[in-house]
Amino acid sequence: LYSSLLYTGDMGLSVELGGRLNTDSHFGSNYTYTFNPAWLIDRNWKLYASIASAWKAPTLYQLYSAYGDPTLAPEKSTTYEGGLQYNDNQLNLRGTYFHRNIKDGIDFNNFTYQYYNFDNEKGNGLELEGKYKFNEYVSLSADYTWLHMKERTQSHLDYDDTAYSYALRVPANTLNFTLGLKPVPNLYLGITGHYESKRYDLGGYEGYNALPDAVLDPFFIVNLYAEYKLTRRLKVFVDGRNVTDRHFTTLYGYNSIPAMWSGGATIEF
């Protein structure tokens, strides 16, 4: 059951209040909410905020498989956001700060080989986005995310609860940019860069002993894209990923994609 109430004022103020009633045969009823105020300061500037709660029941696999635990509790979280946006015909800028608090999060225990509820995870972050249209032929867009995590969970080395200042497999810094070009009519060229800072992952085992967390190196990859519109409904494209064939790892022990090219056609009806 979901309900929503929207208020729009004369001075640029709008407020949305929403609520959802979740009913689960195993976990009973739970109510989540969203609160989203925004203020349109003038035709270019907008101030916004959000508070939202969430509730997520364990899956049947996490409860009843060979690796499951039927005593798992639902995962609960609350997220707070606030930011400022600027927009005109050429420039769009947006900055958002957020804080997320997760309780009874569900993770996999690498010692008992079962799913379990970790105590608490808190994350603070900043997202910056921007797009600038130089003219009808050239545009540039970019986004950056900074994330700082604190987690209290079972140690990655033994059975004790331990506090960590990072979350596994999550980089603290991520940057993307795209340069778009339209040198001739019907032709679009895109150059994209993607950067991720170092991250941590489980270090594996030596015999029956767990090893310290592994540090995965930062990396930067370049992607290329081109498309040409042959008719109003038909276009052909070429897509190149990691075109410099950069070796990188986002999951310890597994390589990510090498240089890869694909192409095709798209028909719109």
Side-chain angles (χ1 to χ4, degrees):
L1 179 63
Y2 177 78
S3 62
S4 178
L5 178 64
L6 177 63
Y7 166 80
T8 303
D10 297 331
M11 304 297 293
L13 178 66
S14 63
V15 179
E16 182 182 15
L17 179 64
R20 181 187 296 274
L21 178 64
N22 307 285
T23 302
D24 188 282
S25 60
H26 185 75
F27 297 104
S29 298
N30 183 274
Y31 188 78
T32 58
Y33 61 87
T34 59
F35 176 63
N36 304 302
W39 180 32
L40 190 61
I41 302 171
D42 58 29
R43 60 184 299 178
N44 301 119
W45 291 94
K46 180 180 179 180
L47 190 66
Y48 58 90
S50 174
I51 304 174
S53 65
W55 182 89
K56 181 181 179 182
T59 65
L60 293 176
Y61 185 84
Q62 292 169 335
L63 288 169
Y64 302 116
S65 72
Y67 306 102
D69 180 358
T71 67
L72 283 175
E75 181 177 295
K76 299 176 286 293
S77 66
T78 306
T79 302
Y80 306 86
E81 293 185 359
L84 184 65
Q85 181 176 4
Y86 176 84
N87 186 38
D88 63 26
N89 293 331
Q90 276 192 300
L91 178 64
N92 189 305
L93 296 174
R94 180 183 176 98
T96 305
Y97 176 82
F98 62 88
H99 172 80
R100 183 173 64 243
N101 188 14
I102 300 176
K103 294 182 179 180
D104 295 325
I106 299 173
D107 204 347
F108 189 75
N109 188 316
N110 289 278
F111 294 95
T112 63
Y113 295 98
Q114 281 188 310
Y115 287 96
Y116 74 105
N117 290 111
F118 60 77
D119 295 339
N120 180 260
E121 182 181 84
K122 294 182 179 181
N124 298 296
L126 180 66
E127 294 180 342
L128 302 175
E129 305 169 68
K131 183 174 182 179
Y132 186 74
K133 186 177 180 181
F134 294 90
N135 49 49
E136 59 181 312
Y137 309 108
V138 183
S139 65
L140 178 66
S141 62
D143 62 82
Y144 167 76
T145 300
W146 169 79
L147 185 62
H148 178 63
M149 305 293 295
K150 288 185 178 181
E151 185 177 86
R152 184 164 184 82
T153 184
Q154 180 184 300
S155 169
H156 303 159
L157 295 174
D158 53 42
Y159 292 92
D160 297 330
D161 279 357
T162 304
Y164 290 92
S165 60
Y166 57 86
L168 293 175
R169 302 169 185 167
V170 179
N173 299 277
T174 303
L175 174 66
N176 298 285
F177 72 84
T178 299
L179 178 63
L181 305 171
K182 293 183 177 180
V184 296
N186 298 332
L187 176 63
Y188 172 80
L189 303 175
I191 305 171
T192 300
H194 176 78
Y195 167 81
E196 294 185 16
S197 63
K198 71 176 183 180
R199 73 186 74 201
Y200 297 87
D201 201 355
L202 295 173
Y205 294 87
E206 186 175 22
Y208 294 99
N209 298 316
L211 298 174
D213 290 345
V215 180
L216 307 184
D217 292 333
F219 64 90
F220 176 78
I221 60 174
V222 177
N223 305 318
L224 299 176
Y225 178 82
E227 70 174 43
Y228 187 79
K229 198 167 186 178
L230 297 172
T231 68
R232 186 168 63 92
R233 299 184 181 276
L234 175 64
K235 66 180 180 182
V236 293
F237 67 89
V238 176
D239 190 14
R241 301 299 179 97
N242 190 16
V243 295
T244 60
D245 201 21
R246 174 77 159 84
H247 175 79
F248 66 98
T249 302
T250 58
L251 184 64
Y252 185 60
Y254 294 87
N255 290 328
S256 294
I257 60 169
M260 182 173 65
W261 292 87
S262 62
T266 302
I267 302 176
E268 296 180 356
F269 295 96

